[in-house]
Amino acid sequence: MTADSLKQHLRRTLRRDLWLTLTPALLLIGVAFAAAFHFIKPAPPKTLVLAMSQDEGGFRYYARKYQDFLARHDIKLELRSTKGSIENVALLADESSGVDVAFVQSGTVAGEAAGNVVSLGSLSYVPLWVFYRGEPLEDVRQLKGRKVAVGPEGSGTRALAITLLKANGIDEAPTELMPLEREAAIEQLKQGTVDAIFLISPAESPAIHRLAAVPGIRLLSFTRGAAYARRFPYLSRLVLPRGVFNLASDVPAEDVVVIAPTANLVARDSLHPALAYLLMRAASEVHGKAGLLDGAAEFPAPRETGFPLSDEAKRYYEAGVPLLQRYLPFWAANLVDRLWVMLVPIIAVVVPLFRAVPAVYQWRMRSRIVRWYARLKEIEIQLDENPGQQMLEDMLKRLEEAEREVNRIPMPLAYAENLYFFREHIEVVRRRLIRRLSGGRDGADAHAHSASA
C-alpha cells in the first residue's frame, strides 16, 4: 500500500469512526427535541374575533379601545355584531362560529349552558336604567299592567328585565312587554307611546344623560336595591349622586339607587394563553380608570359572572402581568415563553452528551490498541515458561507481526501517543526475547534465578 493510499484509507476510517460515534448521539438529541416540540405551545393567531352587541352596555365603545390596544401588538381584532349577550355566549359555545371572545352581561346565561366558556374578568358596572312616565314609582313591581320596552330578543337587557319582572310576579299579561331596540324605545318613551323602558348602559353614556334631563321622564330609584343584590349575586347596589350628570341643571335632582350587573369579557377555553394575558392587559388599560360609578383600579376584577374564571385570569389577578410581557414586546415574550421547554432536552441530553461523546470516541480509539495487549501478554507468559529456540523465534515473529499490524491502525494525531506507548512496550518484550535467543537471561529471568538461589 503506497503512502497516498494509506493516507486516504486513514481519512476514510477516521471519518467512519467519527460518524459511528456521533450518529447515536445525534439520534438521541433528535428524539429529545422532537419530544420537546410536542409540548411547545403553538404560536398565537394574529387575528381574534370578538362578538358584541352595539346597543348593549357600551360595548361598541369598549371594542374600539380593544382594537387600538391589540393593534399596537400586531394583533387584529375583528368585531362581530350580535343581538346581545345570549347570542354572544351561543357563538362562543359553537366551535364552528369562529368567535374567540365576547362581551357578555353578567347573569345573562348560566355557565353550565356553555361548558367551554370561561371568564377573563369583569370590566365595569353597567347599570340597569328604568325610565318611565307618570307618578313617581318606588319599584319595578309598580309597572304591572303597563307598556314596557324590555329590549330585543337575545339581549342581556331583556334577560335581566324579564328576571326582575318575574321575581316581582309580573307576567306578560296584562303587562305588555315590547321587544324594542334602544333608539326606538327611547323615542317611543319621549312620544308617550310606551310607559317605561329598560336600558343597560354605562353611567357615562351621553344617551342616558340626555334622557335623564327630558321633562316628564323620571329615572327609577330602586328602594329595594339591597334585596335585589342579595337575591341575585351578579347584581350590585350603587348610588348615583345627585347632580352627577349635570351639576348646573342638577340632574338627577336626587340620589338615585341603581342595580348593576357587570360587563364581562368571556372567551372560549381554547383561547391561546398569550392572547388571554394580552386581552387582560387591554382590559386594565381601558377599564382601570375611575368613572361615575367605578373606582380607580376597581376593574378589571374577578367578580361573579356566571362562568368559571380561566387559569390565566386567576394568575393575572394574583400576580399581575407575566414577567416576560413586562419587559419584552409581546412577540418576543411569546417566543421566549414557547422556547422555555427547549431547555429540557438541552440540559438533560445535550449537555451530558457533550461530555460523553469525546469519552466514547477516545474509548473507541484506545480499544483498537488495547486488544493487541492481549497478544503481547500471551508472549510474555510463554517467555516465562522457558521455551526452546524454535519457540523463541516464533514468538519474535509474532511480536514483529503485531507491531506491523498496530502501525497500520488509523489513529488521529490527538490519540497517537497510544501507538507510541504500545511500541515502547513491544520494545521491552523484544529485548527480552533477543537476550534469550542470544543465550543470556533477561531481567525477569535473572531475578527469578537469584530468588531460587
Side-chain angles (χ1 to χ4, degrees), residues 11 26 43 110 122 145 165 218 276 303 307 322 344 388 414 416 419 427 430:
R11 285 194 292 267
L26 293 175
S122 299
L165 291 172
R218 301 177 186 273
R303 292 174 174 266
F307 299 96
V344 175
L419 286 175
E427 190 61 29
R430 179 184 286 115

Side-chain angles (χ1 to χ4, degrees), residues 379 382 388-401 433 437:
I379 293 174
Q382 291 176 350
Q389 186 77 13
Q390 183 64 37
M391 178 67 74
L392 289 172
E393 292 177 355
D394 180 64
M395 291 163 61
L396 185 60
K397 290 179 181 179
R398 285 156 53 199
L399 189 65
E400 292 174 348
E401 180 184 355
L433 279 171
L437 283 169

Side-chain angles (χ1 to χ4, degrees), residues 354-394:
F354 268 122
R355 298 180 178 179
V357 168
V360 171
Y361 188 69
Q362 182 180 19
W363 173 82
R364 285 184 59 86
M365 296 298 102
R366 295 187 62 186
S367 65
R368 294 176 173 178
I369 298 174
V370 169
R371 63 190 181 92
W372 287 97
Y373 274 98
R375 180 172 296 188
L376 192 61
K377 187 64 177 176
E378 179 185 0
I379 293 174
E380 281 197 295
I381 292 173
Q382 291 176 350
L383 189 58
D384 291 336
E385 295 175 352
N386 296 319
Q389 186 77 13
Q390 183 64 37
M391 178 67 74
L392 289 172
E393 292 177 355
D394 180 64

Side-chain angles (χ1 to χ4, degrees), residues 70-296:
L70 294 179
R72 299 202 302 265
H73 298 279
D74 297 322
I75 302 296
K76 180 181 179 182
L77 183 64
E78 295 181 355
L79 306 181
R80 183 176 299 185
S81 296
T82 66
K83 295 179 180 179
S85 295
I86 294 177
E87 184 180 350
N88 294 348
V89 174
L91 289 172
L92 284 176
D94 182 4
E95 297 287 347
S96 62
S97 68
V99 172
D100 303 297
V101 291
F103 289 134
V104 173
Q105 175 189 306
S106 63
T108 300
V109 181
E112 295 80 5
N116 64 331
V117 178
V118 294
S119 170
L120 299 183
S122 299
L123 306 177
S124 65
Y125 294 119
V126 279
L128 173 66
W129 310 97
V130 180
F131 290 97
Y132 64 96
R133 285 183 170 277
E135 296 299 320
L137 304 178
E138 292 186 351
D139 198 77
V140 294
R141 62 179 177 169
Q142 295 173 292
L143 294 175
K144 187 174 184 178
R146 304 193 184 192
K147 290 183 179 182
V148 183
V150 294
E153 294 287 346
S155 67
T157 303
R158 183 182 181 86
L160 181 57
I162 296 297
T163 297
L164 297 182
L165 291 172
K166 284 186 176 181
N168 284 280
I170 299 177
D171 297 321
E172 293 198 23
T175 306
E176 186 177 353
L177 305 182
M178 307 174 67
L180 299 177
E181 298 284 351
R182 173 188 297 262
E183 296 303 325
I186 292 174
E187 188 61 31
Q188 291 202 27
L189 179 66
K190 290 178 178 179
Q191 295 174 2
T193 54
V194 297
D195 300 311
I197 62 173
F198 284 72
L199 301 176
I200 288 183
S201 186
E204 293 77 15
S205 171
I208 298 298
H209 294 193
R210 290 193 297 268
L211 190 57
V214 174
I217 295 179
R218 301 177 186 273
L219 176 59
L220 179 68
S221 180
F222 286 82
T223 57
R224 299 188 299 170
Y228 287 113
R230 187 64 60 86
R231 286 286 304 274
F232 305 102
Y234 54 86
L235 295 177
S236 299
R237 178 187 180 275
L238 303 171
V239 177
L240 188 71
R242 175 179 175 175
V244 72
F245 286 165
N246 191 317
L247 290 171
S249 302
D250 196 25
V251 180
E254 59 185 3
D255 287 353
V256 177
V257 176
V258 296
I259 55 175
T262 54
N264 306 286
L265 184 63
V266 297
R268 188 170 292 151
D269 58 6
S270 58
L271 179 69
H272 195 286
L275 291 178
Y277 283 121
L278 191 62
L279 284 167
M280 286 183 286
R281 288 174 58 190
S284 295
E285 180 175 298
V286 174
H287 306 282
K289 302 179 181 64
L292 294 182
L293 295 174
D294 308 337

